[in-house]
Amino acid sequence: MSTGANTGRGLLGLVCGNTPEARGRVLDLLRCASPGALVLSVSVHADEAGRYPFVQRFATGGEERRRASFGEALCQGATGDPAVIIRQDLDAIARAAARPHVVLALPENVDAAAFLAALWRTPLGRTPLSHHYELAPTAVGVDPGRLLNDLRCVHRAARVFGDAPHAASLTVAETAARQLEAAQVMVLRGGPGEGDGRREGCRALLGHLNPSAVVHLDSGDADVTALTALVRSDPGWIVAEPADRLDVVAPVVRRRGVDHGVTSVLWRSRRPLHPERLAESLPRVMSSVVRSRGHLWMATRPQTVISWRSVGRHLELREAGGWLEGGDTAAWCAASPQRRTLASWYWDDYYGERRNEIVFTGADLDTDRLRAGLDAAVLDDGELALGAESWARLPDPLLGDAAPDPER
């Protein structure tokens, strides 16, 4: 059984996929690489009445004698916060086995990155999971025949579980994009249509949506050597905890160049955005964009980070916490190490860490038109000189009127 490297801790990995078959294929490959791994398959069923969901778990693999000691309890199911229930399961497994290798097989209605952050969070008075486990890479199986359809589906909502006990409503496209972006390893399945270039086009798109992930083209054989990373701890988790990767002000990773027509464009600016001009520029900016992510400095909300997420024709702007301020020691201590490093790197004596940063990914993007549209939406010198009190009175068709400042 493969576990953490001589640390006395076990290994915990996550597997998900955009179809059950794609997820199952990753599990098959993982079992070949680590025959002793215990697979904990999870299903989460939402309650229409808004109460806690029903969580079912089913254990396979591992050592039969030890699995029998807790397997019956897992199969009974439980109602409550999914992260709390699974954390209790993992504690029980760690007590029953020395240095276990556990793989959580998650369904499509679980946001893997947010769920892992909630799972890894240590409740008051409890032993941290990091005491028992090191984290392996999150692996995502991808069926190319389903991928593009999901990324276009913005007209239908899905109820997705993540870092809260209850489900959040997201578009199917946003759910699919988040699943891909959570991966450190992606396994792209073969099958019908492989010879028409669809698989290579999907590979190119995956490489731009998540440049830091390894994309493995599944040949149908158990190519264990290509997936050895799945059965060892991922050194990337030492740099950033699971919750750190959810910070809206996070390092931007962009793949350069054009691959099968797919490209990514990074836009940055150290000036606040005029919300009305930004709204007017969106038809030009968003043409041919498949996915975009980042954060904004909006003139009408100078104290607030605005998150930017789009998939297909759906754009979501949301208030996502405050910018770090020079004298706010508590906020700096609460921020992740990578957030503090970025803030120091980009710090301006007057505006602090405030900045706009968005990555756009799509096919045949007009880079010059995209950047020109956004550059025209930032405040000019005259508007900038008027200051925040004047900015607050600008019309804002995107976020509406800002709440009054209680200090005024």
Side-chain angles (χ1 to χ4, degrees), residues 24-358:
R25 179 55 181 161
V26 178
L27 289 173
D28 289 342
L29 292 170
L30 193 148
R31 287 189 184 100
C32 291
S34 180
L38 175 72
V39 176
L40 191 61
S41 298
V42 179
S43 65
V44 184
H45 302 284
D47 187 329
E48 296 297 333
R51 297 175 296 226
Y52 281 111
F54 182 72
V55 183
Q56 186 77 42
R57 298 94 69 217
F58 183 71
T60 57
E63 295 183 23
E64 184 176 355
R65 177 179 59 84
R66 286 173 175 166
R67 189 177 71 246
S69 66
F70 51 77
E72 183 177 347
L74 298 184
C75 293
Q76 291 176 353
T79 300
D81 184 338
V84 172
I85 292 169
I86 300 302
R87 189 186 300 115
Q88 291 171 345
D89 293 341
L90 293 172
D91 282 340
I93 293 169
R95 288 194 297 270
R99 298 181 66 194
H101 180 187
V102 182
V103 179
L104 293 180
L106 300 180
E108 293 178 56
N109 66 338
V110 173
D111 183 347
F115 180 74
L116 182 58
L119 189 67
W120 209 246
R121 192 178 301 128
T122 305
L124 187 64
R126 299 296 299 271
T127 301
L129 276 183
S130 58
H131 180 77
H132 300 300
Y133 298 94
E134 292 186 45
L135 287 174
T138 297
V140 175
V142 182
D143 185 335
R146 171 88 173 265
L147 175 63
L148 294 181
N149 288 336
D150 282 350
L151 291 175
R152 294 189 187 106
C153 187
V154 298
H155 58 279
R156 185 160 56 89
R159 298 188 68 189
V160 180
F161 294 90
D163 58 353
H166 305 290
S169 182
L170 302 173
T171 65
V172 171
E174 178 66 29
T175 302
R178 291 190 186 194
Q179 185 181 84
L180 299 173
E181 291 160 354
Q184 281 86 48
V185 176
M186 290 186 274
V187 178
L188 187 59
R189 293 188 70 207
E194 186 172 338
D196 62 6
R198 181 191 306 172
R199 193 179 188 215
E200 279 301 310
C202 288
R203 180 200 58 76
L205 180 58
L206 293 176
H208 279 271
L209 290 176
N210 189 346
S212 62
V214 175
V215 180
H216 171 65
L217 299 178
D218 183 19
S219 63
D221 299 323
D223 186 3
V224 178
T225 57
L227 293 177
T228 53
L230 292 177
V231 295
R232 63 181 60 168
S233 59
D234 180 4
W237 291 118
I238 299 175
V239 179
E241 290 287 310
D244 297 343
R245 300 190 181 190
L246 300 180
D247 195 331
V248 66
V249 186
V252 172
V253 181
R254 171 178 62 109
R255 173 160 291 185
R256 298 179 183 275
V258 181
D259 188 357
H260 286 71
V262 181
T263 188
S264 293
V265 178
L266 170 63
W267 178 75
R268 286 190 176 120
S269 175
R270 293 307 304 264
R271 291 182 176 226
L273 281 156
H274 190 298
E276 190 171 48
R277 290 206 297 270
L278 176 61
E280 292 171 351
S281 73
L282 289 179
R284 301 193 306 277
V285 169
M286 301 304 292
S287 177
S288 301
V289 173
V290 174
R291 173 64 160 166
S292 61
R293 291 182 65 192
H295 57 268
L296 304 179
W297 172 17
M298 198 74 82
T300 48
R301 286 168 169 76
Q303 307 304 321
T304 306
V305 181
I306 305 298
S307 70
W308 169 298
R309 289 179 182 265
S310 82
V311 187
R313 296 180 177 275
H314 182 266
L315 171 64
E316 177 189 85
L317 300 178
R318 180 172 295 181
E319 296 187 27
W323 299 103
L324 294 177
E325 302 291 350
D328 193 345
T329 304
W332 280 81
C333 291
S336 67
Q338 67 173 5
R339 172 75 179 274
R340 294 195 296 268
T341 300
L342 280 173
S344 300
W345 180 264
Y346 287 104
W347 194 260
D348 178 90
D349 288 341
Y350 189 74
Y351 293 120
E353 68 164 340
R354 292 171 178 81
R355 65 191 185 278
N356 304 293
E357 195 166 78
I358 312 172

Side-chain angles (χ1 to χ4, degrees), residues 381-395:
D381 290 345
E383 293 166 330
L384 197 63
L386 294 175
E389 289 189 8
S390 177
W391 305 345
R393 295 191 291 271
L394 293 173

